[in-house]
Every structure is written in structure tokens, then in C-alpha cells.
């Protein structure tokens, strides 16, 4: 503990293990953030194994309900939402530490009202000095930066980057549409 205080490694939570969540987890890990990924796939799923290959912790919603997440992982400094489900995005606020930041990237489908604890959320956001922000578009420089980050990720996590897109020939489209093969399946109309 230098200067009489201990600086801990930052802690992060990614909500969702799809393509965007996986990129968020790689970003956290590339920045040496102790990373936890919460998603609905089983603990023994290929996505869970992929998350663990990043040296991140995978938490299955099948075994740990969202409301039990704070007791399972404690508080996190940064959270990245990549599921597009309001109940999950805002349901993760109790795990956000004081001065924490929650970035939302998912877009929920249109549906009816969602029950909310607005008073608790507002109180926590103000008293804990937390930030919640949404992101969807970026500038040219952000895209250029993303290309450089993907190069870095390719060096650090080659299998994870390769798994992001599975290309299959058009003839296999019916099978892929029913079962899926990868994290993001792309059906090639020309080979």
C-alpha cells in the first residue's frame, strides 16, 4: 500500500455474452479490469468457455438470478450493458459502486411499461455519484480506434475474435437459421 492506501484493480461487469458483450469483455480485459460477464447461457456453454478464455468470470443467469448478483460479485466500477432488456440493464444498478459508470448499448424492443424502482435508482445515482449513459453512434475517429482495438484484441484474444462471426454457405442457411453455430452467424450468398 503505497502512501498509506491500497489501490485495487478496477472491476467490471458486462451484461450479455453476444458479439457486443464479448467485445465489451475484451475491452475490459485489455485494460486489466477484473471482468465478470452475466448472461443467460449455461455455465458449460461455448460462450461461457469463450468468456473464461479471456480470463474473465462467467456468471449464468440460470444459476444466479440478477437480484443475487451483488452478493455473488460485490460492487463493480464499470458496467457495460449489451442485452437490450431494461429489467436487466437497470436491475444491475445495485452492483454499481460509488462513482461507478453504467454504459448502455442495447436497444429494447417496443412493448408495454416496465416496473421500475425510480426512487431508489435516483437516490443511488445522486448519493453514490453514479453515471448512466447510452451510446449508439460514434465518429470516424472512434471507428478508426475500434479497428486498432480489434488488432490488439486479435493479438490478445485470437480465438474470441475469430468466434465473433461464423460464415456459412447459402446451402446451409436453413440449418443455421434453426440451430445457429456461432455467436454471430453470417450466411454468404456467394463464396
Amino acid at each position: 500500500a503505497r502512501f498509506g492506501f491500497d489501490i485495487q484493480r478496477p472491476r467490471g461487469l458486462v451484461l450479455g455474452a453476444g458479439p457486443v458483450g464479448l467485445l465489451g469483455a475484451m475491452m475490459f480485459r485489455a485494460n486489466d479490469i477484473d471482468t465478470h460477464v452475466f448472461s443467460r447461457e449455461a455455465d458449460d456453454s461455448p460462450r461461457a468457455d469463450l468468456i473464461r478464455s479471456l480470463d474473465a468470470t462467467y456468471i449464468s443467469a440460470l444459476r444466479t438470478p440478477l437480484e443475487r448478483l451483488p452478493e455473488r460479485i460485490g460492487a463493480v466500477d464499470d458496467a457495460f450493458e449489451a442485452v437490450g432488456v431494461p429489467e436487466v440493464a437497470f436491475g444491475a444498478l445495485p452492483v454499481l459502486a460509488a462513482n461507478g459508470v453504467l454504459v448502455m448499448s442495447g436497444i429494447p424492443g417496443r412493448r408495454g411499461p416496465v416496473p421500475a424502482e425510480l426512487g431508489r435508482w435516483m437516490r443511488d445515482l445522486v448519493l453514490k455519484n453514479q453515471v448512466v449513459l447510452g451510446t449508439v453512434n460514434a465518429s470516424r475517429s472512434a471507428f478508426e480506434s475500434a479497428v486498432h482495438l480489434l488488432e490488439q484484441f486479435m493479438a490478445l484474444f485470437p480465438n474470441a475474435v475469430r468466434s465473433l462471426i461464423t460464415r456459412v454457405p447459402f446451402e446451409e442457411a436453413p440449418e443455421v437459421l434453426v440451430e445457429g453455430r456461432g455467436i454471430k452467424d453470417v450466411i454468404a450468398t456467394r463464396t
Side-chain angles (χ1 to χ4, degrees):
R2 194 171 174 201
F3 302 113
F5 57 90
D6 186 24
I7 298 177
Q8 293 183 8
R9 184 172 160 204
R11 304 186 76 231
L13 170 65
V14 176
L15 301 167
V20 175
L22 183 59
L23 287 167
M26 285 190 270
M27 178 63 112
F28 278 1
R29 289 301 304 125
N31 285 285
D32 197 33
I33 295 174
D34 180 16
T35 304
H36 303 270
V37 177
F38 179 79
S39 194
R40 63 184 177 189
E41 291 83 10
D43 284 321
D44 61 352
S45 71
R47 287 191 195 193
D49 291 341
L50 188 57
I51 295 299
R52 285 189 282 273
S53 78
L54 304 176
D55 196 25
T57 302
Y58 182 79
I59 301 159
S60 173
L62 300 173
R63 295 192 63 192
T64 303
L66 185 61
E67 56 274 0
R68 305 270 318 268
L69 204 52
E71 65 191 64
R72 167 90 190 266
I73 67 171
V76 298
D77 305 294
D78 301 295
F80 180 74
E81 175 276 330
V83 293
V85 179
E87 294 89 343
V88 174
F90 288 101
L93 278 175
V95 81
L96 196 60
N99 301 313
V101 177
L102 168 61
V103 177
M104 293 188 203
S105 69
I107 301 171
R110 297 192 187 274
R111 59 182 196 165
V114 175
E117 297 181 57
L118 297 177
R120 182 181 59 86
W121 295 344
M122 188 173 179
R123 185 173 41 260
D124 283 353
L125 288 169
V126 172
L127 294 176
K128 293 181 182 178
N129 197 41
Q130 297 170 326
V131 175
V132 176
L133 64 100
T135 184
V136 69
N137 290 328
S139 64
R140 178 181 174 92
S141 65
F143 282 100
E144 290 169 354
S145 176
V147 169
H148 295 296
L149 286 170
L150 276 174
E151 290 171 346
Q152 179 185 9
F153 295 167
M154 193 61 185
L156 293 170
F157 318 112
N159 292 334
V161 173
R162 283 188 200 101
S163 74
L164 283 173
I165 297 177
T166 303
R167 295 184 189 280
V168 297
F170 184 75
E171 300 78 42
E172 296 176 29
E175 178 187 333
V176 170
L177 290 172
V178 171
E179 297 175 17
R181 290 192 182 160
I183 292 178
K184 197 60 137 180
D185 297 321
V186 175
I187 299 168
T189 56
R190 293 188 184 143
T191 54

